[in-house]
Amino acid sequence: MHPMLNTAVKAARRAGTVIVRALPDIDRLRVETKSRHDFVTEVDRRAEELIIETLKGAYPDHGILAEESGTVVGNEWEWVIDPLDGTTNFLHGFPQFAVSIALRRRGRLEQAVVFDPLRDELFTATRGEGAQLNDRRIRVSRVADFDGALLGTGFPFRESDSVAQWVQLFERVACRTSGVRRAGSAALDLAYVACGRLDGFWETGLKPWDMAAGALLVREAGGLASDLFTEGDPLDSGNILAANPRVYGHMRAAFEDVVRPGG
């Protein structure tokens, strides 16, 4: 395992321990509202502190882009961190949340970790070396026909998101596929595309920390991950489409004339 990836795994596991230990006391946690339907707890903050402490201990000159503490400028390397992707799920005891850590160099994704502490599932990837689940190589699914595809998505929840646009997107695929699932953690959804549990995924209005690790996982597992509307970098736009190559093409065709944000 690459030394930087090994450090990220150590950080993710430390954060996961904090998250799991807090589950029995969810009803006593301090919860703050960052914006409509967007929450943060003391667990998010403690998990993020441990991640940054671990990463900075090994690589003190690296930059940080983290959901709760923001940006710390560093050298050409930058860690992109979501200490608890799926906070709302966590607060309800709904077992779908994860720690997400990615590393990029001059904007290019190099390392990725998505850790589900409840299932002890560790998804990892190093650019050019493939993706793994608990040290076993994973690949995107081989589903080719759109009517046999199972897709994942996320509902708009921030004030600026367009519900009407999401409905358009949903209508294009809902009756043409095996189904659409919304589980509430983009990081895990993307990891599931990487290992073939989902055949494709789309969502709008995301932040870089929601999808950085997941995007690299998908690509290293043989899939495609790009901006939903332009095929550019999803981390720049916040809109992502990820799938195995055949389903990606079907989704791209289905969404091609949907009005883009601000359009």
Side-chain angles (χ1 to χ4, degrees):
M1 182 180 288
H2 191 284
M4 291 182 179
L5 182 61
N6 190 52
T7 300
V9 167
K10 179 181 178 181
R13 288 196 178 279
R14 290 186 72 189
T17 297
V18 168
I19 292 166
V20 171
R21 286 178 177 172
L23 279 170
D25 300 311
I26 287 175
D27 57 339
R28 287 184 280 183
L29 291 177
R30 295 192 303 274
V31 181
E32 298 175 21
T33 302
K34 295 191 288 185
S35 61
R36 184 173 179 266
H37 298 160
D38 195 4
F39 307 102
V40 61
T41 72
E42 57 197 283
V43 174
D44 296 70
R45 292 198 170 103
R46 179 54 181 155
E48 186 169 291
E49 287 171 2
L50 284 173
I51 292 170
I52 294 173
E53 175 185 288
T54 304
L55 300 176
K56 279 291 194 178
Y59 304 103
D61 296 329
H62 285 195
I64 299 288
L65 175 61
E67 179 173 13
E68 308 308 336
S69 54
T71 301
V72 176
V73 177
N75 59 16
E76 62 189 6
W77 297 90
E78 181 183 55
W79 294 96
V80 185
I81 303 163
D82 191 337
L84 177 51
D85 186 60
T87 299
T88 299
N89 285 350
F90 169 77
L91 287 171
H92 288 267
F94 188 86
Q96 192 77 358
F97 45 81
V99 180
S100 178
I101 303 172
L103 176 64
R104 53 186 178 181
R105 183 184 188 188
R106 297 174 182 168
R108 184 172 69 178
L109 292 167
E110 299 285 343
Q111 309 289 342
V113 175
V114 173
F115 178 49
D116 179 344
L118 285 182
R119 299 177 181 87
D120 194 29
E121 290 192 331
L122 180 72
F123 298 86
T124 58
T126 295
R127 187 178 64 82
E129 297 184 13
Q132 298 79 34
L133 166 54
N134 291 345
D135 297 322
R136 296 186 65 179
R137 185 70 179 266
I138 55 175
R139 299 289 294 177
V140 293
S141 73
R142 297 180 180 179
V143 171
D145 296 328
F146 206 29
D147 60 2
L150 180 65
L151 306 182
T153 189
F155 299 150
F157 69 95
R158 293 187 175 95
E159 294 290 352
S160 60
D161 288 341
S162 170
V163 174
Q165 180 195 70
W166 182 87
V167 170
Q168 284 187 69
L169 295 167
F170 178 76
E171 287 178 339
R172 301 299 174 88
V173 299
C175 296
R176 298 175 56 192
T177 61
S178 286
V180 179
R181 304 288 183 263
R182 196 281 187 177
S185 168
L188 273 182
D189 286 333
L190 289 165
Y192 285 6
V193 172
C195 72
R197 294 174 185 170
L198 291 172
D199 304 303
F201 172 78
W202 88 91
E203 189 168 355
T204 62
L206 293 174
K207 299 297 184 182
W209 48 78
D210 296 318
M211 55 182 164
L216 184 61
L217 284 170
V218 170
R219 291 167 184 161
E220 288 299 319
L224 301 171
S226 71
D227 174 78
L228 176 60
F229 300 101
T230 68
E231 300 190 54
D233 188 345
L235 273 66
D236 292 336
S237 67
N239 309 313
I240 191 167
L241 190 162
N244 78 38
R246 293 291 294 275
V247 171
Y248 178 93
H250 291 304
M251 293 178 72
R252 177 69 61 193
F255 295 159
E256 64 180 354
D257 61 345
V258 174
V259 176
R260 300 174 185 177

